[in-house]
Amino acid sequence: MSFNLISGTFVENLLAPHRASASPWLTWYGASGERIELSGRVFDNWVAKSANLLADSFDLEEDQVVVVDLPTHWKSLVLALASLHHGATLVAPSHERAAEAVLWVTATPTDPGIPASCEILAVDPAALALSFGGDLGPVAEDFNASVRSFGDQFFPSSVSGAATAVAGDEHRIDLETLFATSAEAKGTILVRAGLPILEFLPYAIAQWAAGDALVLLEDGVEATERLREGERITADYSPEA
């Protein structure tokens, strides 16, 4: 599966209307008990910091391939949108274009399957981790330790190229359609986060564009009635919706 999203302005158009909002945009429940609530403003700050990191540390450019070797998580969603700000092509580790990757975003930076020519961004998924808790290996950049030093604003440049998104090997989605597709507003949507990030990304974009908030539950977190009531859940994730 891959997404070749060419223009960072699409990400800007998605996030800018919510930049001043203190309302929940994305809430994460981790299996270790943490709850992280990101407002529209805070989520936008994280995307901006991450996009600045990708520019300054990796010189990420349009059409370059980025492997996102992470599950659905608030950090993987941030990094996906940050990469799309640069017009990068996002692919899963198993995709045939992974061999072309210039950057591999992963929680396992010493994985021998990562091409030697590829730069590595190591991400500790622990919500409040200030540095990567494991072995970074000889070349990986520590996302957790580095990202906070970057600016809270990112100014995307105009990126040329065919505005095409590629989902899998057979289904192609026009980039403008991906970011402009109207979805039915559902309110606050409960999502179990065990699914692949690139499968979930189009749904997240569509529902955010509709004005919805997302609540992600890591595997092992029970969707209790107390949680549903506390988060004011009005719908559950449905890929067919």
Side-chain angles (χ1 to χ4, degrees):
M1 175 168 297
S2 68
F3 296 96
N4 184 6
L5 305 188
I6 303 300
S7 175
T9 58
F10 288 97
V11 180
E12 175 69 8
N13 290 342
L14 174 70
L15 297 179
H18 306 276
R19 188 160 289 149
S21 174
S23 299
W25 174 274
L26 176 63
T27 304
W28 168 261
Y29 279 83
S32 60
E34 74 270 20
R35 176 187 180 275
I36 304 296
E37 180 180 296
L38 305 176
S39 65
R41 178 180 61 81
V42 173
F43 186 84
D44 177 71
N45 284 169
W46 274 98
V47 173
K49 285 178 177 292
S50 301
N52 285 318
L53 181 156
L54 295 176
D56 292 356
S57 299
F58 301 105
D59 296 320
L60 189 62
E61 297 179 355
E62 177 186 2
D63 287 336
Q64 289 184 321
V65 175
V66 175
V67 168
V68 184
D69 187 12
L70 295 170
T72 293
H73 188 281
W74 72 265
K75 291 180 183 177
S76 60
L77 287 166
V78 162
L79 281 162
L81 289 176
S83 299
L84 301 182
H85 256 315
H86 295 285
T89 299
L90 305 183
V91 303
S94 59
H95 194 273
E96 60 183 9
R97 294 199 64 191
E100 305 172 27
V102 299
L103 177 62
W104 203 284
V105 182
T106 181
T108 54
T110 59
D111 184 345
I114 300 175
S117 60
C118 190
E119 294 190 271
I120 302 171
L121 182 61
V123 181
D124 190 326
L128 301 177
L130 298 179
S131 63
F132 189 78
D135 183 4
L136 281 169
V139 298
E141 173 83 10
D142 186 339
F143 171 80
N144 300 67
S146 300
V147 68
R148 288 174 175 81
S149 66
F150 288 90
D152 289 345
Q153 294 182 320
F154 178 74
F155 303 97
S157 58
S158 178
V159 183
S160 62
T164 303
V166 182
D169 297 322
E170 298 178 359
H171 303 289
R172 294 177 179 269
I173 307 172
D174 177 80
L175 172 61
E176 184 175 359
T177 300
L178 180 62
F179 273 85
T181 298
S182 60
E184 178 187 352
K186 298 179 183 298
T188 300
I189 305 171
L190 186 73
V191 181
R192 295 198 174 277
L195 64 164
I197 178 62
L198 297 185
E199 288 185 13
F200 179 64
L201 185 60
Y203 180 91
I205 289 170
Q207 298 305 143
W208 277 330
D212 292 342
L214 302 178
V215 176
L216 303 184
L217 306 187
E218 189 174 18
D219 285 346
V221 178
E222 184 181 357
T224 64
E225 286 304 312
R226 180 178 179 181
L227 184 152
R228 287 179 175 274
E229 291 175 2
E231 298 295 344
R232 299 181 180 179
I233 301 299
T234 54
D236 285 50
Y237 166 68
S238 172
E240 304 300 326

